[in-house]
Amino acid sequence: MKDRTKEQQPSAVPKTAQQGGDIRARWAWVEPAVWTERMLATLETGIEGGKWFRLIDKVWSPKNLAGSLQKVVAKGGSAGIDNQSARAVCEHQEQTIQKLEQELRAGQYQPRAVKRVWIPKPGSQEKRPLGVPTIRDRIVQGAVLQVIEPIFESEFAVQSYGFRPGRGCKDALRRVDELLRSGKHWVVDADLKSYFDTIPHERLMERVGEKVADGKVLSLIEGMLQAGVMDSVEGWQATKQGSPQGAVISPLLSNIYLNGLDWKMARNGFEMVRYADDFVVLCPSQEEAQKALEQIIQWVEENGLKLHPTKTRLVDASQRGGFDFLGYHFERGKKWPRKKSLSKLKDAIRSKTPRNSGRSIKAICADLNPTLKGWYEYFKHSAPTSLNPSMAMCEGGYAVSSDTKPNEKAVPKESINSDGQIPTSPQLACFP
């Protein structure tokens, strides 16, 4: 690990920095224990030299650690390699915060290896690795995140939607709809191969260092990346590249690394929509799409990544075939749940409704309804004709899965509005 403890003199906050509640309102999502109005004003006006110094004291601030702890506990999740649960940490939170502060101040904090677990890929027999840090490591990662995220958020391109405050999947999907309606139906459907597992550490740290000049914070992040992985079969393994999916700070780091691609596409006039490592570029012609793909290939190769050779392609979305993006399938001016999304729903229904469960219909419906309503809320803008055959209108007037049990009613036919859209009220449900 590089020695990053030597720092330059800190840049001063500009004298012209604005103060006031209007700045706080624009940055309502930031951690107030870290980001004062004066610091937020500096974010907007720009800090001298373009880099932030002396941030480590904000990382180990007890209030910042406490805020991170509360978020980790609220989210829950499984224990890391130390088998310590979120509930156990919560019961001794004062001691946990005090110990972490002491270790961070003394430079003695050492992140532990993440626990590797394998989870199924939706609609596939394959599995993908997920890294589970210990609870205390999640707290420190969250504390670092609360300090540096606003610095990078102010620099991210508008076409990036994943894991960003105030943005989400639906915003990305709406943008894709807008671009398709505008005539940009030639699509670069790109797939980065094992992106989170292959991010080059040295290049990633260089990009973090473009905005953060606190050597101790940089060393802390680098230590998180190099903590290693503990596999139940193969034991401890070094992590020479990648940022494990499941780590609190990984989504931000992944966005930092791909921000250069976002801006490259924007500068060259290409309409890219990106959610984490999943992105599409929408163009008015095949020639433009080919140019966009060539520039993506060049950037990816220069930055030590790889495109999946069989999953990256050019698509004319106005013709049969279309493309998948964020759970939807887009084709010929319409969108509907992709096959893997339907398969995932059916698997969830089967797991909650086994024939030999011995539970009452009321109990089954209570368990099933959150899944159905959540699925409906996300896919309610699908074209109604897309419900056939996997989701077909049955004689009773409800859209049901082809292998859903009779008690699992869904969307009434008459509730579909004149625009061909399913309304916003959640009516996909199971009724006893």
Side-chain angles (χ1 to χ4, degrees):
M1 187 185 298
K2 294 182 179 179
D3 182 8
R4 303 184 185 272
T5 58
K6 294 183 180 180
E7 305 172 26
Q8 303 173 33
Q9 290 299 312
S11 301
V13 175
K15 293 181 180 179
T16 56
Q18 297 179 351
Q19 304 291 322
D22 58 332
I23 294 177
R24 178 65 69 187
R26 288 194 295 273
W27 296 87
W29 57 272
V30 305
E31 176 55 53
V34 174
W35 285 91
T36 64
E37 288 186 356
R38 185 174 177 82
M39 291 174 66
L40 292 175
T42 304
L43 265 182
E44 296 192 351
T45 59
I47 194 165
E48 184 181 346
K51 293 188 178 184
W52 291 76
F53 299 81
R54 296 189 181 177
L55 296 172
I56 190 63
D57 60 313
K58 296 168 181 61
V59 173
W60 68 49
S61 162
K63 288 184 178 180
N64 184 31
L65 290 168
S68 178
L69 183 148
Q70 292 303 320
K71 291 178 182 178
V72 169
V73 170
K75 192 170 183 179
S78 59
I81 62 172
D82 61 356
N83 294 320
Q84 191 172 32
S85 67
R87 178 178 294 182
V89 170
C90 187
E91 291 174 353
H92 303 91
Q93 55 183 307
E94 290 186 9
Q95 297 95 314
T96 299
I97 292 169
Q98 185 178 20
K99 186 175 181 180
L100 286 174
E101 180 192 2
Q102 291 173 349
E103 290 181 5
L104 288 166
R105 280 181 177 273
Q108 297 174 344
Y109 169 79
Q110 292 292 330
R112 302 189 67 176
V114 300
K115 181 172 68 175
R116 175 175 287 165
V117 296
W118 295 87
I119 60 175
K121 286 186 176 181
S124 171
Q125 298 297 320
E126 298 179 11
K127 293 186 177 183
R128 64 180 179 89
L130 186 70
V132 182
T134 65
I135 299 297
R136 69 193 305 272
D137 288 340
R138 278 179 247 176
I139 294 170
V140 175
Q141 287 187 25
V144 173
L145 181 71
Q146 290 173 169
V147 172
I148 70 171
E149 185 177 23
I151 296 172
F152 291 97
E153 177 60 30
S154 62
E155 302 291 330
F156 285 155
V158 69
Q159 62 264 47
S160 169
Y161 293 88
F163 306 107
R164 293 184 60 189
R167 290 172 160 243
C169 288
K170 291 188 176 181
D171 300 299
L173 291 167
R174 275 191 289 268
R175 183 57 180 158
V176 170
D177 277 332
E178 290 172 0
L179 293 170
L180 288 171
R181 286 197 298 267
S182 73
K184 293 179 171 63
H185 56 84
W186 273 97
V187 180
V188 180
D189 184 11
D191 186 277
L192 289 171
K193 187 175 182 180
S194 304
Y195 170 62
F196 281 88
D197 298 328
T198 58
I199 302 174
H201 286 174
E202 186 173 354
R203 295 181 187 181
L204 173 59
M205 291 307 304
E206 288 174 358
R207 290 176 198 185
V208 176
E210 290 174 2
K211 293 295 176 182
V212 175
D214 187 317
K216 292 182 179 179
V217 172
L218 293 173
S219 293
L220 191 57
I221 296 172
E222 195 167 27
M224 295 171 182
L225 292 171
Q226 298 179 354
V229 172
M230 184 64 72
D231 188 278
S232 59
V233 176
E234 300 181 7
W236 184 87
Q237 296 173 293
T239 47
K240 298 180 180 180
Q241 59 183 10
S243 183
Q245 294 189 64
V248 175
I249 203 168
S250 284
L252 174 63
L253 296 179
S254 71
N255 276 335
I256 290 172
Y257 201 70
L258 289 179
N259 191 44
L261 176 60
D262 296 339
W263 283 108
K264 179 182 178 69
M265 291 289 101
R267 284 193 302 269
N268 293 329
F270 295 113
E271 294 285 1
M272 183 168 79
V273 181
R274 182 175 67 82
Y275 191 97
D277 60 335
D278 195 1
F279 64 91
V280 290
V281 183
L282 295 97
C283 304
S285 67
Q286 184 176 6
E287 292 74 20
E288 284 291 305
Q290 183 63 44
K291 289 179 183 178
L293 178 57
E294 290 171 0
Q295 293 191 24
I296 291 170
I297 292 172
Q298 180 185 9
W299 188 93
V300 166
E301 290 178 350
E302 289 175 351
N303 288 271
L305 302 173
K306 291 182 180 179
L307 288 172
H308 200 292
T310 59
K311 294 182 180 179
T312 300
R313 61 200 181 111
L314 298 185
V315 179
D316 183 357
S318 67
Q319 303 299 315
R320 185 179 296 276
F323 65 98
D324 294 341
F325 185 61
L326 298 182
Y328 274 92
H329 179 77
F330 292 82
E331 182 180 324
R332 292 171 289 172
K334 297 179 181 180
K335 68 176 183 288
W336 57 82
R338 67 174 185 165
K339 291 181 179 179
K340 287 185 178 180
S341 298
L342 287 168
S343 297
K344 186 177 180 180
L345 173 65
K346 293 174 185 178
D347 289 343
I349 292 174
R350 290 191 193 99
S351 68
K352 292 176 182 290
T353 57
R355 295 180 182 276
N356 58 352
S357 69
R359 297 188 298 168
S360 67
I361 292 295
K362 185 175 182 179
I364 292 173
C365 286
D367 185 26
L368 188 62
N369 274 338
T371 298
L372 293 175
K373 290 179 179 179
W375 195 90
Y376 165 76
E377 183 62 28
Y378 187 75
F379 291 107
K380 64 186 178 184
H381 299 295
S382 298
T385 54
S386 67
L387 299 175
N388 184 26
S390 295
M391 296 289 286
M393 294 295 178
C394 71
E395 293 180 1
Y398 290 90
V400 297
S401 174
S402 57
D403 58 352
T404 300
K405 295 177 176 58
N407 62 293
E408 293 161 9
K409 299 179 182 178
V411 184
K413 252 194 301 193
E414 60 271 17
S415 68
I416 298 174
N417 63 33
S418 58
D419 296 326
Q421 300 294 313
I422 301 173
T424 56
S425 57
Q427 300 184 46
L428 180 64
C430 164
F431 301 100

